[in-house]
Amino acid sequence: MDKKATLNLSDGRSVEFPVLGGTIGPDVVDIRSLYGKSGMFTYDPGFMSTASCSSTITYIDGDAGVLLYRGYPIEQLAAHCDFIEVCYLLLNGELPNAAQKGEFVHTVTRHTMVHDQLNRFFTGFRRDAHPMATMVGVVGALSAFYHDSLDITDHEHRKIAAFRLVAKLPTIVAMAYKYSIGQPFVYPRNDLSYTANFMRMMFAVPAEEYKVNPVLVRALDRIFILHADHEQNASTSTVRLAGSSGANPFACIAAGIACLWGPAHGGANEACLQMLEEIGNVDHIGKYVKRAKDKDDSFKLMGFGHRVYKNHDPRAKLMRETCHEVLNELGLHNDRLFKLAIALEKVALEDDYFVSKKLYPNVDFYSGIVQRALGIPTSMFTCIFALARTVGWIAQWQEMIADPEYKIGRPRQLYKGAPRREAKPLEKR
Ligand code: SDX
């Protein structure tokens, strides 16, 4: 029997809506006919109770701390796959076999170079510009190089755009870093894996051979996997909304990068490390936890809390394990910030304020510490997040564009401004 929801209005009218069910997770009330039937809108700033779309890509159960990419638990993907396999999975819906992976890697590898004129975009920025500002500018500028050959209604064009973005983001992120430290750009190499290539572009210098450390490459590759997609978060919703107007994918991804930059979202890993540096040592934890609980203090524990996870963020646990591995590999197991983070997490998880509000460490809590240990500067953390999330943004964008039902996103509002009034000419005001 079809499930229904009925809205009974105080004027005696009642309006019925279909209830739609998915594979797993909450049902949704299909309210698309609400305005037509009742003359009213729903009101849900922040979209706390709103499903903006249907999707087959990622599923999160916030109460159970579950994250699935195309049905596969994040723990299993982190253990058995590399990032390029997860890219294939998110874009195509299935994990690749060896032949499919080989072909995918071959294509991605041959799109890692950027148009050489793109190098000049960097010289327009100050060296001390935040690398996320550079990223928004340069990724948006890719439209100037590929927009004329891009028909978003053409499946093949959408596919080539996906390859270009997945392949070129590491090159652009590494260029943003090299530009910020005044070192020459390092070109990609086709004989290296996706993540080894990125680490070499970040850390190699012309003066000597760069030695790839497979343990560190595996750790960063896993960090990419953990950040690859996350349902309809703020930046993904931004990419979808930008894409709903028919904007090209490079412009949409640039919009996603801009949204991700905020400290409440992808900027939290940078903010979290700055917070740990400010706390300094375990003796000061109490003072900062007190501030985080104070309604009159805007301070929040960065890397804690989540709109959806009201249990442990499964990525935070995997990130903590990765952090441990990297610090051990580098002989930094006594790293003071890692020890401080472990102590802070323990204090917060035993404090009633955090327990009652179901605030747990999220993906950003440990990612800054492990990236810092890998030699990545704090200002680059959100760029790394953007690099990894690009495949998720593209998969979500492709899913929307391929949906024959999709329309331009155009929310309404509750108007609380001035009623209609006459405008007086200047001499009468
Ligand atoms: C990411 O959406 C995604 O999926 C995002 C992401 C992804 O992969 O795309 O997972 C990546 O962005 C992770 C989140 C990174 N942000 C941070 O770590 C910043 C610190 N966290 C908070 O700003 C906050 O928890 C949010 C923004 C993450 C979630 O905010 P919500 O869901 O709007 O929750 P809220 O702010 O309404 O908090 C509920 C209560 C509030 O208290 P009350 O008003 O109910 O009394 O909890 C409090 C908040 O004040 N609270 C915190 C807190 N987070 C929430 N108090 C102290 N420290 C915190 N970190």
Side-chain angles (χ1 to χ4, degrees):
M1 182 192 65
D2 291 346
K3 289 188 252 180
K4 299 268 183 212
T6 305
L7 174 66
N8 296 310
L9 299 170
S10 47
D11 62 8
R13 285 181 300 159
S14 74
V15 189
E16 215 171 61
F17 303 99
V19 171
L20 311 176
T23 319
I24 36 179
D27 287 348
V28 297
V29 179
D30 180 349
I31 57 159
R32 283 176 286 188
S33 62
L34 172 68
Y35 182 59
K37 287 179 179 172
S38 72
M40 290 195 289
F41 300 135
T42 58
Y43 185 66
D44 187 15
F47 311 123
M48 305 284 280
S49 303
T50 294
S52 60
C53 62
S54 69
S55 179
T56 61
I57 299 171
T58 292
Y59 175 72
I60 303 171
D61 179 335
D63 294 327
V66 168
L67 170 58
L68 310 177
Y69 291 166
R70 300 285 190 182
Y72 293 106
I74 190 71
E75 296 83 356
Q76 294 179 26
L77 294 172
H80 306 311
C81 302
D82 64 16
F83 179 65
I84 209 74
E85 291 168 56
V86 170
C87 288
Y88 184 99
L89 171 66
L90 289 169
L91 292 171
N92 298 293
E94 297 297 337
L95 282 168
N97 59 32
Q100 290 163 331
K101 178 177 179 179
E103 187 189 343
F104 188 75
V105 167
H106 178 85
T107 307
V108 169
T109 302
R110 275 148 191 80
H111 280 285
T112 50
M113 286 177 70
V114 293
H115 191 295
D116 225 38
Q117 277 182 232
L118 212 70
N119 297 3
R120 293 186 213 147
F121 279 85
F122 287 89
T123 54
F125 294 101
R126 286 172 43 148
R127 294 274 181 180
D128 62 354
H130 193 290
M132 283 296 276
T134 315
M135 288 282 294
V136 171
V138 173
V139 172
L142 289 174
S143 312
F145 290 83
Y146 303 110
H147 187 48
D148 58 349
S149 65
L150 191 75
D151 172 359
I152 61 163
T153 61
D154 180 320
H155 175 75
E156 282 311 305
H157 283 198
R158 294 201 301 267
K159 201 170 160 192
I160 180 70
F163 276 120
R164 281 176 169 145
L165 281 158
V166 168
K168 295 179 198 307
L169 256 287
T171 310
I172 292 169
V173 168
M175 290 170 85
Y177 173 56
K178 284 302 196 189
Y179 184 73
S180 73
I181 58 174
Q183 286 187 1
F185 297 141
V186 175
Y187 284 92
R189 280 252 302 268
N190 292 352
D191 60 336
L192 293 175
S193 72
Y194 185 88
T195 304
N197 202 12
F198 171 65
M199 289 189 84
R200 183 178 168 279
M201 290 190 285
M202 282 283 287
F203 301 120
V205 288
E208 62 186 30
E209 270 312 300
Y210 175 75
K211 198 170 167 343
V212 171
N213 177 326
V215 174
L216 303 188
V217 167
R218 178 65 188 132
L220 187 56
D221 194 82
R222 190 182 304 148
I223 290 171
F224 289 166
I225 291 173
L226 298 181
H227 287 87
D229 194 53
H230 213 240
E231 200 210 64
Q232 304 312 319
N233 58 83
S235 53
T236 298
S237 300
T238 301
V239 170
R240 279 182 173 259
L241 196 56
S244 73
S245 73
N248 73 76
F250 304 104
C252 295
I253 297 304
I257 293 172
C259 176
L260 186 75
W261 193 359
H265 189 15
N269 50 20
E270 177 179 359
C272 182
L273 202 86
Q274 285 159 354
M275 173 190 75
L276 291 170
E277 293 283 10
E278 187 185 332
I279 293 174
N281 69 59
V282 289
D283 303 338
H284 300 152
I285 287 177
K287 183 176 82 172
Y288 281 87
V289 166
K290 191 163 178 289
R291 283 189 58 195
K293 292 157 61 173
D294 179 354
K295 295 295 303 160
D296 300 325
D297 188 334
S298 62
F299 174 78
K300 286 193 185 316
L301 278 191
M302 300 318 281
F304 255 79
H306 198 278
R307 170 61 55 77
V308 177
Y309 288 122
K310 300 309 172 191
N311 193 323
H312 284 272
D313 179 336
R315 302 168 299 176
K317 185 170 165 296
L318 292 161
M319 192 65 79
R320 186 174 57 219
E321 288 164 11
T322 304
C323 205
H324 209 69
E325 277 169 35
V326 166
L327 294 172
N328 280 340
E329 168 69 15
L330 297 171
L332 300 172
H333 39 279
N334 283 324
D335 180 85
R336 70 182 173 83
L337 287 187
F338 184 53
K339 291 173 79 168
L340 179 58
I342 296 263
L344 175 58
E345 178 184 13
K346 187 172 181 306
V347 169
L349 293 182
E350 289 166 0
D351 184 295
D352 183 54
Y353 173 91
F354 293 89
V355 173
S356 63
K357 291 181 185 298
K358 299 184 179 180
L359 302 173
Y360 293 90
N362 58 50
V363 68
D364 293 306
F365 189 64
Y366 286 100
S367 74
I369 301 167
V370 59
Q371 290 184 64
R372 173 177 157 272
L374 290 170
I376 297 165
T378 310
S379 61
M380 290 298 297
F381 291 172
T382 311
C383 298
I384 302 289
F385 195 148
L387 185 166
R389 185 54 57 89
T390 289
V391 67
W393 287 331
I394 282 289
Q396 300 271 352
W397 171 79
Q398 284 189 331
E399 179 177 70
M400 177 188 70
I401 297 289
D403 176 356
E405 268 198 346
Y406 99 87
K407 303 167 82 69
I408 186 166
R410 196 339 185 154
R412 302 303 301 274
Q413 62 178 11
L414 173 65
Y415 178 69
K416 297 184 115 177
R420 187 187 188 320
R421 52 186 172 159
E422 300 308 313
K424 294 188 183 72
L426 183 60
E427 62 276 10
K428 292 192 173 163
R429 268 179 265 149

